[in-house]
PDB file of all heavy atoms in Angstrom:
ATOM      1  N   ARG J   1     237.251-103.735 -38.623  1.00 87.00           N
ATOM      2  CA  ARG J   1     238.536-103.302 -38.857  1.00 87.00           C
ATOM      3  C   ARG J   1     238.889-102.792 -40.232  1.00 87.00           C
ATOM      4  O   ARG J   1     240.020-102.449 -40.639  1.00 87.00           O
ATOM      5  CB  ARG J   1     239.435-104.626 -38.698  1.00 87.00           C
ATOM      6  CG  ARG J   1     239.469-105.067 -37.221  1.00 87.00           C
ATOM      7  CD  ARG J   1     240.180-106.395 -37.040  1.00 87.00           C
ATOM      8  NE  ARG J   1     241.634-106.210 -37.201  1.00 87.00           N
ATOM      9  CZ  ARG J   1     242.489-106.810 -36.416  1.00 87.00           C
ATOM     10  NH1 ARG J   1     242.052-107.424 -35.410  1.00 87.00           N
ATOM     11  NH2 ARG J   1     243.759-106.697 -36.609  1.00 87.00           N
ATOM     12  N   GLY J   2     237.821-102.645 -41.047  1.00 85.00           N
ATOM     13  CA  GLY J   2     237.993-102.111 -42.439  1.00 85.00           C
ATOM     14  C   GLY J   2     238.027-103.100 -43.639  1.00 85.00           C
ATOM     15  O   GLY J   2     238.298-102.618 -44.712  1.00 85.00           O
ATOM     16  N   TRP J   3     237.737-104.298 -43.350  1.00 88.00           N
ATOM     17  CA  TRP J   3     237.825-105.314 -44.402  1.00 88.00           C
ATOM     18  C   TRP J   3     236.440-105.362 -45.168  1.00 88.00           C
ATOM     19  O   TRP J   3     235.374-105.048 -44.460  1.00 88.00           O
ATOM     20  CB  TRP J   3     238.024-106.686 -43.727  1.00 88.00           C
ATOM     21  CG  TRP J   3     239.325-107.003 -43.300  1.00 88.00           C
ATOM     22  CD1 TRP J   3     239.923-106.477 -42.183  1.00 88.00           C
ATOM     23  CD2 TRP J   3     240.348-107.900 -43.766  1.00 88.00           C
ATOM     24  NE1 TRP J   3     241.150-106.889 -41.982  1.00 88.00           N
ATOM     25  CE2 TRP J   3     241.531-107.895 -43.066  1.00 88.00           C
ATOM     26  CE3 TRP J   3     240.360-108.742 -44.957  1.00 88.00           C
ATOM     27  CZ2 TRP J   3     242.594-108.626 -43.328  1.00 88.00           C
ATOM     28  CZ3 TRP J   3     241.458-109.394 -45.177  1.00 88.00           C
ATOM     29  CH2 TRP J   3     242.550-109.401 -44.446  1.00 88.00           C
ATOM     30  N   SER J   4     236.395-105.592 -46.381  1.00 87.00           N
ATOM     31  CA  SER J   4     235.165-105.796 -47.144  1.00 87.00           C
ATOM     32  C   SER J   4     234.979-107.296 -47.363  1.00 87.00           C
ATOM     33  O   SER J   4     235.947-108.168 -47.191  1.00 87.00           O
ATOM     34  CB  SER J   4     235.185-104.992 -48.493  1.00 87.00           C
ATOM     35  OG  SER J   4     236.145-105.574 -49.370  1.00 87.00           O
ATOM     36  N   ALA J   5     233.885-107.595 -47.892  1.00 87.00           N
ATOM     37  CA  ALA J   5     233.654-109.079 -48.205  1.00 87.00           C
ATOM     38  C   ALA J   5     234.567-109.603 -49.233  1.00 87.00           C
ATOM     39  O   ALA J   5     235.119-110.720 -49.200  1.00 87.00           O
ATOM     40  CB  ALA J   5     232.146-109.300 -48.574  1.00 87.00           C
ATOM     41  N   GLY J   6     234.842-108.773 -50.244  1.00 88.00           N
ATOM     42  CA  GLY J   6     235.797-109.194 -51.280  1.00 88.00           C
ATOM     43  C   GLY J   6     237.130-109.288 -50.855  1.00 88.00           C
ATOM     44  O   GLY J   6     237.941-110.272 -51.298  1.00 88.00           O
ATOM     45  N   MET J   7     237.528-108.497 -49.986  1.00 89.00           N
ATOM     46  CA  MET J   7     238.892-108.542 -49.308  1.00 89.00           C
ATOM     47  C   MET J   7     239.136-109.757 -48.561  1.00 89.00           C
ATOM     48  O   MET J   7     240.068-110.434 -48.584  1.00 89.00           O
ATOM     49  CB  MET J   7     239.093-107.241 -48.520  1.00 89.00           C
ATOM     50  CG  MET J   7     239.320-106.013 -49.292  1.00 89.00           C
ATOM     51  SD  MET J   7     239.298-104.406 -48.225  1.00 89.00           S
ATOM     52  CE  MET J   7     240.764-104.670 -47.233  1.00 89.00           C
ATOM     53  N   ILE J   8     238.056-110.095 -47.786  1.00 90.00           N
ATOM     54  CA  ILE J   8     238.027-111.378 -46.906  1.00 90.00           C
ATOM     55  C   ILE J   8     238.117-112.612 -47.839  1.00 90.00           C
ATOM     56  O   ILE J   8     239.012-113.446 -47.553  1.00 90.00           O
ATOM     57  CB  ILE J   8     236.827-111.477 -46.061  1.00 90.00           C
ATOM     58  CG1 ILE J   8     236.773-110.284 -44.993  1.00 90.00           C
ATOM     59  CG2 ILE J   8     236.776-112.827 -45.364  1.00 90.00           C
ATOM     60  CD1 ILE J   8     235.419-110.210 -44.272  1.00 90.00           C
ATOM     61  N   ARG J   9     237.449-112.636 -48.919  1.00 90.00           N
ATOM     62  CA  ARG J   9     237.495-113.774 -49.827  1.00 90.00           C
ATOM     63  C   ARG J   9     238.855-113.806 -50.484  1.00 90.00           C
ATOM     64  O   ARG J   9     239.430-114.890 -50.598  1.00 90.00           O
ATOM     65  CB  ARG J   9     236.466-113.616 -50.906  1.00 90.00           C
ATOM     66  CG  ARG J   9     235.079-114.303 -50.618  1.00 90.00           C
ATOM     67  CD  ARG J   9     234.191-114.406 -51.794  1.00 90.00           C
ATOM     68  NE  ARG J   9     234.170-113.118 -52.649  1.00 90.00           N
ATOM     69  CZ  ARG J   9     233.294-112.208 -52.417  1.00 90.00           C
ATOM     70  NH1 ARG J   9     232.469-112.280 -51.383  1.00 90.00           N
ATOM     71  NH2 ARG J   9     233.270-111.090 -53.127  1.00 90.00           N
ATOM     72  N   ARG J  10     239.342-112.671 -50.954  1.00 90.00           N
ATOM     73  CA  ARG J  10     240.608-112.613 -51.675  1.00 90.00           C
ATOM     74  C   ARG J  10     241.864-112.901 -50.918  1.00 90.00           C
ATOM     75  O   ARG J  10     242.730-113.689 -51.288  1.00 90.00           O
ATOM     76  CB  ARG J  10     240.705-111.213 -52.392  1.00 90.00           C
ATOM     77  CG  ARG J  10     241.893-111.038 -53.228  1.00 90.00           C
ATOM     78  CD  ARG J  10     241.858-109.755 -53.975  1.00 90.00           C
ATOM     79  NE  ARG J  10     242.973-109.375 -54.697  1.00 90.00           N
ATOM     80  CZ  ARG J  10     243.182-108.334 -55.301  1.00 90.00           C
ATOM     81  NH1 ARG J  10     242.280-107.348 -55.309  1.00 90.00           N
ATOM     82  NH2 ARG J  10     244.307-108.091 -55.942  1.00 90.00           N
ATOM     83  N   LEU J  11     241.947-112.271 -49.753  1.00 90.00           N
ATOM     84  CA  LEU J  11     243.149-112.321 -48.856  1.00 90.00           C
ATOM     85  C   LEU J  11     243.144-113.454 -47.883  1.00 90.00           C
ATOM     86  O   LEU J  11     244.185-114.080 -47.514  1.00 90.00           O
ATOM     87  CB  LEU J  11     243.368-110.970 -48.228  1.00 90.00           C
ATOM     88  CG  LEU J  11     243.571-109.805 -49.192  1.00 90.00           C
ATOM     89  CD1 LEU J  11     243.613-108.525 -48.328  1.00 90.00           C
ATOM     90  CD2 LEU J  11     244.751-110.055 -50.042  1.00 90.00           C
ATOM     91  N   LEU J  12     241.928-113.789 -47.316  1.00 90.00           N
ATOM     92  CA  LEU J  12     241.973-114.827 -46.304  1.00 90.00           C
ATOM     93  C   LEU J  12     241.289-116.245 -46.850  1.00 90.00           C
ATOM     94  O   LEU J  12     241.809-117.197 -46.206  1.00 90.00           O
ATOM     95  CB  LEU J  12     241.053-114.345 -45.089  1.00 90.00           C
ATOM     96  CG  LEU J  12     241.596-113.137 -44.304  1.00 90.00           C
ATOM     97  CD1 LEU J  12     240.698-112.695 -43.220  1.00 90.00           C
ATOM     98  CD2 LEU J  12     243.040-113.490 -43.718  1.00 90.00           C
ATOM     99  N   GLY J  13     240.502-116.163 -47.753  1.00 90.00           N
ATOM    100  CA  GLY J  13     240.006-117.427 -48.261  1.00 90.00           C
ATOM    101  C   GLY J  13     239.058-118.043 -47.315  1.00 90.00           C
ATOM    102  O   GLY J  13     238.205-117.424 -46.627  1.00 90.00           O
ATOM    103  N   GLU J  14     239.193-119.354 -47.109  1.00 92.00           N
ATOM    104  CA  GLU J  14     238.265-120.202 -46.284  1.00 92.00           C
ATOM    105  C   GLU J  14     238.533-119.852 -44.839  1.00 92.00           C
ATOM    106  O   GLU J  14     239.595-119.613 -44.407  1.00 92.00           O
ATOM    107  CB  GLU J  14     238.528-121.601 -46.513  1.00 92.00           C
ATOM    108  CG  GLU J  14     237.921-122.141 -47.770  1.00 92.00           C
ATOM    109  CD  GLU J  14     236.400-122.031 -47.891  1.00 92.00           C
ATOM    110  OE1 GLU J  14     235.760-122.403 -46.993  1.00 92.00           O
ATOM    111  OE2 GLU J  14     235.903-121.519 -48.853  1.00 92.00           O
ATOM    112  N   PRO J  15     237.414-119.783 -44.041  1.00 92.00           N
ATOM    113  CA  PRO J  15     237.610-119.575 -42.555  1.00 92.00           C
ATOM    114  C   PRO J  15     238.357-120.706 -41.865  1.00 92.00           C
ATOM    115  O   PRO J  15     238.340-121.900 -42.415  1.00 92.00           O
ATOM    116  CB  PRO J  15     236.116-119.431 -42.129  1.00 92.00           C
ATOM    117  CG  PRO J  15     235.411-120.112 -43.033  1.00 92.00           C
ATOM    118  CD  PRO J  15     236.039-120.068 -44.374  1.00 92.00           C
ATOM    119  N   ASP J  16     238.873-120.344 -40.707  1.00 91.00           N
ATOM    120  CA  ASP J  16     239.609-121.328 -39.935  1.00 91.00           C
ATOM    121  C   ASP J  16     238.556-122.262 -39.071  1.00 91.00           C
ATOM    122  O   ASP J  16     238.802-123.432 -38.940  1.00 91.00           O
ATOM    123  CB  ASP J  16     240.664-120.674 -38.970  1.00 91.00           C
ATOM    124  CG  ASP J  16     241.725-119.937 -39.646  1.00 91.00           C
ATOM    125  OD1 ASP J  16     242.233-120.455 -40.682  1.00 91.00           O
ATOM    126  OD2 ASP J  16     241.954-118.844 -39.280  1.00 91.00           O
ATOM    127  N   LEU J  17     237.507-121.537 -38.697  1.00 90.00           N
ATOM    128  CA  LEU J  17     236.532-122.321 -37.917  1.00 90.00           C
ATOM    129  C   LEU J  17     235.148-121.862 -38.424  1.00 90.00           C
ATOM    130  O   LEU J  17     234.970-120.751 -38.880  1.00 90.00           O
ATOM    131  CB  LEU J  17     236.588-121.904 -36.375  1.00 90.00           C
ATOM    132  CG  LEU J  17     237.797-122.445 -35.670  1.00 90.00           C
ATOM    133  CD1 LEU J  17     237.780-121.855 -34.243  1.00 90.00           C
ATOM    134  CD2 LEU J  17     237.801-123.999 -35.621  1.00 90.00           C
ATOM    135  N   ARG J  18     234.253-122.726 -38.233  1.00 91.00           N
ATOM    136  CA  ARG J  18     232.740-122.490 -38.394  1.00 91.00           C
ATOM    137  C   ARG J  18     231.982-122.844 -37.211  1.00 91.00           C
ATOM    138  O   ARG J  18     232.172-124.115 -36.748  1.00 91.00           O
ATOM    139  CB  ARG J  18     232.245-123.289 -39.633  1.00 91.00           C
ATOM    140  CG  ARG J  18     232.727-122.717 -40.973  1.00 91.00           C
ATOM    141  CD  ARG J  18     231.983-123.453 -42.213  1.00 91.00           C
ATOM    142  NE  ARG J  18     232.636-123.180 -43.407  1.00 91.00           N
ATOM    143  CZ  ARG J  18     232.268-122.277 -44.351  1.00 91.00           C
ATOM    144  NH1 ARG J  18     231.132-121.590 -44.069  1.00 91.00           N
ATOM    145  NH2 ARG J  18     232.907-122.048 -45.392  1.00 91.00           N
ATOM    146  N   ARG J  19     231.333-121.941 -36.599  1.00 90.00           N
ATOM    147  CA  ARG J  19     230.487-122.200 -35.441  1.00 90.00           C
ATOM    148  C   ARG J  19     229.062-121.901 -35.668  1.00 90.00           C
ATOM    149  O   ARG J  19     228.723-121.096 -36.501  1.00 90.00           O
ATOM    150  CB  ARG J  19     231.019-121.396 -34.245  1.00 90.00           C
ATOM    151  CG  ARG J  19     232.322-121.631 -33.824  1.00 90.00           C
ATOM    152  CD  ARG J  19     232.387-122.989 -33.020  1.00 90.00           C
ATOM    153  NE  ARG J  19     233.773-123.156 -32.410  1.00 90.00           N
ATOM    154  CZ  ARG J  19     234.435-124.252 -32.708  1.00 90.00           C
ATOM    155  NH1 ARG J  19     234.072-125.082 -33.520  1.00 90.00           N
ATOM    156  NH2 ARG J  19     235.666-124.419 -32.288  1.00 90.00           N
ATOM    157  N   PRO J  20     228.072-122.596 -34.912  1.00 90.00           N
ATOM    158  CA  PRO J  20     226.756-122.184 -35.079  1.00 90.00           C
ATOM    159  C   PRO J  20     226.504-120.873 -34.755  1.00 90.00           C
ATOM    160  O   PRO J  20     227.077-120.266 -33.897  1.00 90.00           O
ATOM    161  CB  PRO J  20     225.924-123.108 -34.179  1.00 90.00           C
ATOM    162  CG  PRO J  20     226.862-124.214 -33.853  1.00 90.00           C
ATOM    163  CD  PRO J  20     228.352-123.679 -34.048  1.00 90.00           C
ATOM    164  N   ASN J  21     225.562-120.125 -35.477  1.00 87.00           N
ATOM    165  CA  ASN J  21     225.305-118.700 -35.278  1.00 87.00           C
ATOM    166  C   ASN J  21     224.756-118.621 -33.807  1.00 87.00           C
ATOM    167  O   ASN J  21     223.775-119.212 -33.509  1.00 87.00           O
ATOM    168  CB  ASN J  21     224.393-118.211 -36.279  1.00 87.00           C
ATOM    169  CG  ASN J  21     224.127-116.806 -36.305  1.00 87.00           C
ATOM    170  OD1 ASN J  21     223.902-116.155 -35.281  1.00 87.00           O
ATOM    171  ND2 ASN J  21     224.343-116.196 -37.478  1.00 87.00           N
ATOM    172  N   PRO J  22     225.346-117.719 -33.078  1.00 85.00           N
ATOM    173  CA  PRO J  22     224.882-117.563 -31.646  1.00 85.00           C
ATOM    174  C   PRO J  22     223.526-116.826 -31.442  1.00 85.00           C
ATOM    175  O   PRO J  22     222.919-116.879 -30.383  1.00 85.00           O
ATOM    176  CB  PRO J  22     225.964-116.811 -30.967  1.00 85.00           C
ATOM    177  CG  PRO J  22     226.670-116.058 -32.048  1.00 85.00           C
ATOM    178  CD  PRO J  22     226.493-116.880 -33.292  1.00 85.00           C
ATOM    179  N   PHE J  23     223.044-116.168 -32.489  1.00 87.00           N
ATOM    180  CA  PHE J  23     221.881-115.375 -32.425  1.00 87.00           C
ATOM    181  C   PHE J  23     220.700-115.954 -32.958  1.00 87.00           C
ATOM    182  O   PHE J  23     219.591-115.818 -32.558  1.00 87.00           O
ATOM    183  CB  PHE J  23     222.172-113.984 -33.015  1.00 87.00           C
ATOM    184  CG  PHE J  23     223.250-113.250 -32.442  1.00 87.00           C
ATOM    185  CD1 PHE J  23     224.460-113.157 -32.995  1.00 87.00           C
ATOM    186  CD2 PHE J  23     223.172-112.741 -31.115  1.00 87.00           C
ATOM    187  CE1 PHE J  23     225.543-112.414 -32.564  1.00 87.00           C
ATOM    188  CE2 PHE J  23     224.225-112.076 -30.543  1.00 87.00           C
ATOM    189  CZ  PHE J  23     225.473-111.970 -31.195  1.00 87.00           C
ATOM    190  N   LEU J  24     220.902-116.771 -34.054  1.00 88.00           N
ATOM    191  CA  LEU J  24     219.803-117.376 -34.738  1.00 88.00           C
ATOM    192  C   LEU J  24     220.174-118.807 -35.166  1.00 88.00           C
ATOM    193  O   LEU J  24     221.181-118.991 -36.002  1.00 88.00           O
ATOM    194  CB  LEU J  24     219.361-116.401 -35.973  1.00 88.00           C
ATOM    195  CG  LEU J  24     218.081-116.876 -36.642  1.00 88.00           C
ATOM    196  CD1 LEU J  24     216.895-116.775 -35.797  1.00 88.00           C
ATOM    197  CD2 LEU J  24     217.900-115.951 -37.817  1.00 88.00           C
ATOM    198  N   ARG J  25     219.578-119.720 -34.704  1.00 87.00           N
ATOM    199  CA  ARG J  25     219.958-121.037 -35.012  1.00 87.00           C
ATOM    200  C   ARG J  25     219.852-121.493 -36.577  1.00 87.00           C
ATOM    201  O   ARG J  25     220.670-122.213 -37.004  1.00 87.00           O
ATOM    202  CB  ARG J  25     218.970-122.122 -34.277  1.00 87.00           C
ATOM    203  CG  ARG J  25     219.706-123.053 -33.395  1.00 87.00           C
ATOM    204  CD  ARG J  25     218.697-123.913 -32.586  1.00 87.00           C
ATOM    205  NE  ARG J  25     217.357-123.708 -32.871  1.00 87.00           N
ATOM    206  CZ  ARG J  25     216.490-124.775 -32.947  1.00 87.00           C
ATOM    207  NH1 ARG J  25     216.891-125.921 -32.618  1.00 87.00           N
ATOM    208  NH2 ARG J  25     215.238-124.491 -33.248  1.00 87.00           N
ATOM    209  N   THR J  26     218.888-120.915 -37.119  1.00 91.00           N
ATOM    210  CA  THR J  26     218.643-121.243 -38.548  1.00 91.00           C
ATOM    211  C   THR J  26     219.551-120.491 -39.591  1.00 91.00           C
ATOM    212  O   THR J  26     219.607-120.705 -40.767  1.00 91.00           O
ATOM    213  CB  THR J  26     217.208-121.066 -39.020  1.00 91.00           C
ATOM    214  OG1 THR J  26     216.897-119.760 -38.835  1.00 91.00           O
ATOM    215  CG2 THR J  26     216.325-122.005 -38.238  1.00 91.00           C
TER     216      THR J  26
END
């Protein structure tokens, strides 16, 4: 959607949920 990693950190902060990675367990 056009977000960068810095924009995510700055505008959204901490995530609402954390789920195990569906592609790689580790």
Side-chain angles (χ1 to χ4, degrees):
R1 292 172 72 134
W3 288 71
S4 68
M7 290 168 64
I8 294 170
R9 270 193 314 274
R10 183 174 171 184
L11 300 174
L12 294 177
E14 286 297 311
D16 296 318
L17 292 174
R18 289 182 191 260
R19 295 280 185 246
N21 191 306
F23 302 106
L24 189 61
R25 236 178 5 145
T26 58

